[in-house]
């Protein structure tokens, strides 16, 4: 008798990275449950994209949980009065798009769902290359959270805790695009832009990084405005 498939909870933001991580779990034959968050972000486009990705992949379940991190703000992704960054990533600096405690909250809720469903894995689309300034996207953070998860859950104490899986953490954005193309991710239906207009703005840092990767991977047609946006800005060294 064949063993039941691995069950995996996938954190789905609606962006390219989380969709690719989800697709890797599906390729591995996992039964995938999607989990998205309405955290008070400035627009609904990424949540709409997350729902679309879940439908396209035929996920076993897809939940959207409201956690209003905008109630206290502290990020240009939640505070409309703060300008969205368009000047490039500053080396060694944490950008204004960092949302205080976001991944800590999301992973904790993801672990709760995983334990309730008996899921063996929690897959995350975090990446430490393009946004290395984010403290909650780094390998040492994930390792520490795994230790916490093993202590904080019944399943973990019994040696059967959910394992955090971040397959993209060391990949370049171009490699992520190439894998997304291979896996059949509906890239055009994902949303990575910081703005929430009818089309990606093409000028925010997220659009620039994504567009450069799409162009390098040979798919300029999927870039903002057909690849006609300004080239991405190179990381700017921080002041000594």
């Amino acid at each position: 008798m064949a063993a039941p498939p691995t069950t995996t909870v996938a954190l789905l933001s609606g962006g390219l990275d989380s969709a690719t991580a989800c697709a890797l779990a599906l390729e591995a034959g996992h039964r995938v449950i999607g989990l998205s968050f309405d955290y008070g972000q400035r627009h609904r486009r990424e949540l709409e994209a997350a729902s679309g990705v879940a439908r396209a992949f035929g996920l076993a379940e897809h939940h959207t949980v409201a956690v209003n991190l905008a109630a206290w703000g502290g990020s240009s992704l939640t505070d409309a009065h703060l300008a969205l960054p368009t000047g490039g990533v500053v080396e060694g600096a944490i950008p204004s798009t960092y949302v205080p405690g976001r991944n800590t909250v999301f992973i904790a809720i993801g672990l709760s769902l995983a334990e309730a469903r008996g899921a063996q894995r929690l897959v995350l689309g975090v990446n430490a290359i393009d946004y290395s300034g984010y403290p909650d996207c780094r390998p040492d953070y994930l390792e520490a959270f795994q230790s916490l998860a093993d202590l904080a859950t019944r399943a973990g104490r019994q040696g059967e805790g959910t394992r955090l899986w971040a397959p993209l953490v060391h990949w370049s954005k171009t490699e992520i695009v190439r894998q997304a193309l291979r896996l059949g991710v509906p890239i055009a239906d994902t949303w990575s832009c910081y703005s929430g207009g009818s089309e990606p703005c093409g000028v925010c840092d997220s659009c620039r990084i994504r567009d450069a990767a799409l162009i390098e991977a040979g798919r300029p047609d999927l870039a903002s405005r057909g690849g006609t946006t300004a080239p991405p800005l190179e990381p700017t060294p921080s002041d000594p």
Side-chain angles (χ1 to χ4, degrees), residues 36-218:
S36 303
F37 294 94
D38 181 352
Y39 63 90
Q41 54 267 62
R42 290 169 65 146
H43 59 79
R44 309 291 299 181
R45 287 302 304 271
E46 62 183 11
L47 287 174
E48 294 168 0
S51 294
V53 168
R55 288 192 299 271
F57 285 158
L59 299 189
E61 303 174 37
H62 180 226
H63 302 271
T64 299
V65 175
V67 183
N68 189 18
L69 301 182
W72 41 83
S75 168
S76 59
L77 294 188
T78 57
D79 299 2
H81 67 280
L82 296 178
L84 294 168
T86 60
V89 178
V90 177
E91 185 178 348
I94 298 175
S96 69
T97 49
Y98 164 70
V99 180
R102 179 175 61 178
N103 280 351
T104 300
V105 172
F106 290 0
I107 293 173
I109 296 175
L111 287 169
S112 175
L113 174 58
E115 188 172 26
R117 291 290 189 269
Q120 292 84 9
R121 289 196 179 186
L122 176 65
V123 68
L124 317 166
V126 297
N127 179 267
I129 303 301
D130 293 320
Y131 292 104
S132 58
Y134 287 179
D136 54 2
C137 290
R138 303 181 192 184
D140 57 353
Y141 165 82
L142 296 172
E143 292 168 7
F145 212 121
Q146 183 66 70
S147 297
L148 174 63
D150 291 340
L151 295 173
T153 62
R154 179 174 61 187
R157 291 286 186 171
Q158 295 173 344
E160 300 175 348
T162 303
R163 314 314 296 172
L164 303 184
W165 181 29
L168 319 183
V169 69
H170 294 299
W171 289 6
S172 69
K173 184 65 77 173
T174 301
E175 178 61 21
I176 293 171
V177 168
R178 288 174 176 151
Q179 290 297 322
L181 291 168
R182 180 185 69 82
L183 293 161
V185 172
I187 295 176
D189 296 329
T190 62
W191 187 270
S192 300
C193 179
Y194 292 148
S195 300
S198 58
E199 300 291 338
C201 72
V203 297
C204 72
D205 289 346
S206 183
C207 278
R208 287 172 179 266
I209 292 171
R210 174 182 166 121
D211 287 353
L214 287 165
I215 292 168
E216 186 174 351

